């Protein structure tokens, strides 16, 4: 039987781009609609390694759709490029009981997500 998703994390990675806040808002509001917990990961993969998570709900994304950049901040992570860094990030996801990860970014961000 497939595992039910109970908690999703969302992160932004790489350089800021238009629409990142709109994408974050969409993830958070969709989670709220489906009664799935959502956490934001601050500073991209660097925050993932450090466990820099904050629970988010529909109120936490109120008024961000017209703001540029990303409310979750974004950072590149040299440590995440190593196997040890990725293992640390995975461990933090397991510890926080996160079932899914939504990555918002470009090619490098999606390579990291793989």
């Amino acid at each position: 039987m497939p595992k039910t998703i109970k908690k999703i994390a969302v992160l932004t990675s790489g350089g800021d781009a238009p629409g990142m806040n709109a994408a974050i808002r969409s993830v958070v509001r969709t989670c709220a609609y489906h009664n799935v917990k959502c956490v934001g990961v601050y500073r991209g993969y660097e925050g993932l390694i450090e466990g820099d998570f904050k629970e988010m709900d529909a109120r936490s994304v109120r008024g961000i759709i017209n703001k540029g950049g990303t409310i979750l901040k974004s950072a590149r992570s040299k440590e995440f490029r190593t196997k040890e860094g990725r293992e640390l990030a995975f461990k933090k996801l397991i510890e926080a009981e996160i079932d899914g990860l939504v990555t918002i970014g470009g090619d490098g961000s999606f390579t990291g997500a793989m």
Side-chain angles (χ1 to χ4, degrees):
M1 180 160 208
K3 182 178 179 183
T4 302
I5 294 176
K6 296 178 183 173
K7 189 189 284 188
I8 291 176
V10 59
L11 68 79
T12 53
S13 174
D16 290 355
M20 284 183 147
N21 279 332
I24 293 166
R25 179 179 180 265
S26 179
V27 171
V28 173
R29 289 174 55 109
T30 300
C31 284
Y33 179 81
H34 291 285
N35 294 315
V36 173
K37 290 183 182 179
C38 187
V39 295
V41 179
Y42 284 89
R43 297 174 295 109
Y45 291 116
E46 193 68 24
L48 193 61
I49 290 170
E50 295 173 6
D52 194 0
F53 306 147
K54 180 182 175 190
E55 289 209 20
M56 300 182 82
D57 59 20
R59 287 182 162 260
S60 62
V61 293
R62 194 174 123 229
I64 69 166
I65 199 164
N66 61 342
K67 294 182 180 178
T70 165
I71 63 165
L72 294 177
K73 311 291 186 217
S74 185
R76 290 181 171 86
S77 174
K78 288 186 180 184
E79 187 177 4
F80 192 78
R81 292 176 186 243
T82 68
K83 182 179 180 186
E84 294 79 19
R86 291 188 299 275
E87 287 174 350
L88 277 172
F90 181 71
K91 187 176 178 182
K92 293 292 182 180
L93 288 171
I94 297 301
E95 288 172 1
E97 298 179 339
I98 294 171
D99 303 308
L101 177 65
V102 176
T103 304
I104 301 167
D107 291 344
S109 302
F110 299 134
T111 299
M114 290 295 296

